[in-house]
Amino acid sequence: MKNVQVTEVPQGAQLIDVREPTEFSTVHAAGAVNVPLSEFIARAGEIDPDRDIYLICHLGGRSAQAAEYLEQSRGWDNVVNVLGGTDAWLEAGLPTE
């Protein structure tokens, strides 16, 4: 899996936040879509495999697990883990909702 810093996520990217809904509702990266890790396998079909897939969580651990799943189980090679997660996103002053 590829890893990027929060500042390397392109504007308009397909950004999937794998945190639980309560975490997501508190604050999340602008434009992110919530597909919680606890529902990830069942909802992975909602992700567009034809676009790069940027995965984000709180710090980067859960998003790495989700990325590993997509690569190993789905065979997708366009999966990107966002290092530092939402904490790093906030620290960088990037847009949130």
Side-chain angles (χ1 to χ4, degrees), residues 43-80:
R43 293 184 56 196
E46 297 174 25
I47 300 169
D48 183 353
D50 296 326
R51 296 177 60 203
D52 286 341
I53 303 160
Y54 290 83
L55 297 161
I56 192 168
C57 63
H58 179 68
L59 295 172
R62 287 177 281 179
S63 55
Q65 290 176 354
E68 195 172 302
Y69 167 77
L70 292 177
E71 287 182 336
Q72 293 180 3
S73 298
R74 300 279 177 138
W76 297 348
D77 62 358
N78 57 338
V79 179
V80 184

